């Protein structure tokens, strides 16, 4: 994206996946992803009025740069307030439509055939990451900020639709999708989980994530889309691991 001097940058921290806790939390009533998006809209409206003297956000096209769960919130914002977002930079989006557990086959399911397993994948090797995903990343788990993702898959059931509308008639926003580097994330996730081998991430999680990112890149017209790209050497937090190449 090429930005000129007329753009105003407003850094607003959003909840991130690093804040997930294994234990279920008592969440404030109604504090879900959609309410967070509406809170963001109210905040931006107040900032625009008080600092920029703009009374209508329709006159302030936004460029949203986000990572992880922030990508889902940015996408929901563009969906909830069509015509207000001029550009989106997605950095390794959360898998908004997944429960994370079913990314891996269930070796205890009826009719499971071990002959279908890829080389280097075992039945016991599948059970451990499924349990980890259930405990840490399943949407039923909350975050330290008290944000519930329980309704996220319902709000964003597909990565490639609904198509987004940017400012102006019948045009989508500019969309750039950047994902983690496969090899870097395989090592990172093995360290973080303690149970998911790099081979499991190579066979199941990385392909799933890449397909999801392909869908994100089609949320606008092809001429306004770029990606999915991989940020060299970057794991999930691209803005930390590779802020130069990852955000270029």
């Amino acid at each position: 994206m090429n930005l000129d001097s007329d753009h105003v940058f407003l850094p607003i921290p959003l909840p991130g996946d690093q804040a997930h806790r294994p234990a279920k939390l008592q969440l404030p009533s109604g504090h879900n992803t959609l309410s967070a998006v509406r809170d963001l809209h109210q905040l931006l409206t107040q900032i625009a009025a008080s600092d920029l003297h703009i009374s209508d956000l329709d006159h302030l096209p936004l460029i949203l740069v986000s990572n992880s769960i922030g990508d889902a919130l940015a996408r929901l914002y563009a969906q909830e307030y069509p015509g207000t977002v001029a550009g989106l930079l997605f950095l390794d989006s959360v898998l908004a439509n997944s429960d994370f557990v079913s990314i891996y086959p269930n070796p205890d399911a009826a009719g499971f055939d071990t002959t279908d397993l890829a080389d280097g994948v075992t039945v016991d090797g599948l059970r451990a990451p499924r349990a980890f995903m259930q405990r840490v990343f399943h949407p039923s788990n909350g975050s330290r900020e008290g944000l519930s993702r329980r309704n996220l898959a319902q709000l964003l059931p597909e990565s490639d639709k609904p198509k987004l509308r940017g400012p102006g008639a019948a045009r989508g926003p500019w969309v750039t999708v950047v994902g983690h580097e496969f090899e870097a994330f395989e090592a990172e996730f093995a360290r973080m989980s303690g149970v998911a081998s790099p081979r499991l991430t190579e066979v199941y999680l990385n392909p799933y994530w890449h397909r999801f990112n392909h869908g994100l890149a089609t949320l606008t017209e092809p001429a306004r889309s770029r990606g999915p790209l991989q940020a060299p050497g970057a794991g999930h937090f691209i803005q930390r691991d590779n802020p130069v190449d990852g955000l270029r």
Side-chain angles (χ1 to χ4, degrees), residues 92 95 103-104 133 179-190 197-214 228 230 234-236:
D92 218 33
L95 301 171
I103 291 172
Y104 304 92
M133 290 296 202
H180 56 254
E181 182 186 75
F182 288 172
E183 294 79 6
F185 182 72
E186 288 163 13
E188 177 184 65
F189 194 63
S197 69
R199 177 60 174 160
L200 282 175
T201 301
E202 177 188 8
V203 173
Y204 299 109
L205 186 52
N206 271 339
Y208 189 103
W209 217 315
H210 197 57
R211 289 192 298 271
F212 185 89
N213 283 341
H214 266 288
Q230 289 188 42
H236 182 54

Side-chain angles (χ1 to χ4, degrees), residues 4 16 22 51 115 119 121 140 168 192 203-204 209 248:
D4 57 38
D51 295 1
T115 63
D119 291 342
V121 177
S140 62
M192 182 184 71
V203 173
Y204 299 109
W209 217 315
R248 181 174 297 167

Side-chain angles (χ1 to χ4, degrees), residues 73-130:
L73 297 179
R75 184 179 162 200
L76 277 173
Y77 188 98
Q79 187 174 305
E80 185 77 358
Y81 303 101
T84 64
V85 177
L88 292 153
L89 174 55
F90 295 129
L91 300 176
D92 218 33
S93 175
V94 69
L95 301 171
N97 60 358
S98 174
D99 67 1
F100 289 84
V101 179
S102 57
I103 291 172
Y104 304 92
N106 182 3
D108 300 310
F112 181 80
D113 188 352
T114 58
T115 63
D116 292 335
L117 292 176
D119 291 342
V121 177
T122 66
V123 167
D124 289 339
L126 287 172
R127 289 193 181 104
R130 281 175 57 88

Side-chain angles (χ1 to χ4, degrees), residues 158-179:
E158 307 289 344
S159 66
D160 60 346
K161 56 189 175 187
K163 306 304 182 186
L164 301 177
R165 180 167 65 84
R171 300 182 73 184
W174 297 93
V175 174
T176 298
V177 181
V178 183

